[in-house]
Amino acid sequence: MRHIASIVVLALLPFALTYSRAQDAGGAITTGKTQPRKAPASPELEWAIETIATFSDRDAVNAADVRLRTGGLPAIRVLVKHLTDSRRPPSNYLTRAVSGEVDMGDHSFWLIQDILESHTSKMDASYSPLKKASVEKWLADREGMTLAQLRREACIGAFAKILAMGEKYPDFDVRPAIMTCAKRLVELDKAIHSGG
């Protein structure tokens, strides 16, 4: 366990001081630049949801998926409204389900995860702090944060899950996941402090 703690300290050292300066008394990340609380609805993003929900054309569905993935906070706001959308898309081009049918709520959650987290493997995805049942509250608790700040919060949550996995299964090597997460935290810290 000491070995994991040493890795964590070394991995987090580059951004630990910056993070402590970036927190206010209430623990919220502040940079002086936050997104507006309410953005106007985007017909283009809503249409992307409708395309995934109703089209069978692979190119159209993939283009809609890309549009939502690159839509930032406005896309997240639209996707949150569809977390309980029970429509079943006519195609399974975007599914991650191992078995069973998925609905637009599942697709909406997966897209939110992809916008906020950087998974380079299925193992990385298993450390996600985001759950479909609670992602709306998770986002509401962080209202006013920029996209980079939200990504950083998700990464910190993943880091905690990685450490918990290392404690629960001491023979499981969590060092690669720790290093990947630490590198992402450093990148996000830079983005936040450069106004991202």
Side-chain angles (χ1 to χ4, degrees):
M1 200 61 236
R2 283 188 206 154
H3 183 65
I4 289 176
S6 300
I7 292 169
V8 171
V9 169
L10 290 174
L12 297 177
L13 199 55
F15 68 90
L17 293 174
T18 308
Y19 179 69
S20 65
R21 280 184 247 133
Q23 281 194 312
D24 65 15
I29 305 292
T30 58
T31 63
K33 287 188 174 185
T34 57
Q35 296 294 323
R37 290 198 179 269
K38 298 291 178 195
S42 168
E44 184 184 352
L45 293 169
E46 286 288 354
W47 180 247
I49 292 275
E50 291 308 306
T51 300
I52 295 170
T54 60
F55 282 41
S56 295
D57 179 79
R58 181 183 296 268
D59 292 336
V61 169
N62 286 333
D65 178 67
V66 168
R67 176 62 189 103
L68 288 162
R69 281 175 194 283
T70 58
L73 288 176
I76 290 173
R77 289 184 187 104
V78 169
L79 289 163
V80 164
K81 291 191 279 183
H82 289 274
L83 286 169
T84 58
D85 189 336
S86 61
R87 291 179 294 169
R88 299 203 185 277
S91 72
N92 276 329
Y93 303 140
L94 307 178
T95 189
R96 296 180 196 176
V98 176
S99 63
E101 299 225 4
V102 297
D103 59 27
M104 278 309 299
D106 297 322
H107 285 297
S108 296
F109 172 67
W110 294 330
L111 283 165
I112 291 169
Q113 264 191 321
D114 290 349
I115 293 168
L116 294 177
E117 301 178 296
S118 175
H119 300 144
T120 56
S121 70
K122 284 185 179 179
M123 181 55 80
D124 287 349
S126 70
Y127 299 126
S128 174
L130 304 176
K131 302 290 177 238
K132 184 179 174 186
S134 59
V135 71
E136 188 171 3
K137 182 181 181 330
W138 188 93
L139 288 163
D141 289 346
R142 290 157 180 83
E143 180 69 33
M145 286 188 173
T146 65
L147 184 58
Q149 290 170 331
L150 289 172
R151 287 174 171 164
R152 191 173 192 288
E153 288 282 300
C155 194
I156 289 169
F159 206 92
K161 286 190 82 171
I162 293 166
L163 294 179
M165 176 74 82
E167 286 183 15
K168 187 172 182 179
Y169 303 103
D171 293 336
F172 184 73
D173 187 6
V174 295
R175 289 174 299 176
I178 287 173
M179 296 312 292
T180 298
C181 200
K183 181 180 175 192
R184 180 155 167 80
L185 282 170
V186 170
E187 291 167 359
L188 290 167
D189 216 34
K190 286 178 185 174
I192 290 167
H193 292 290
S194 65

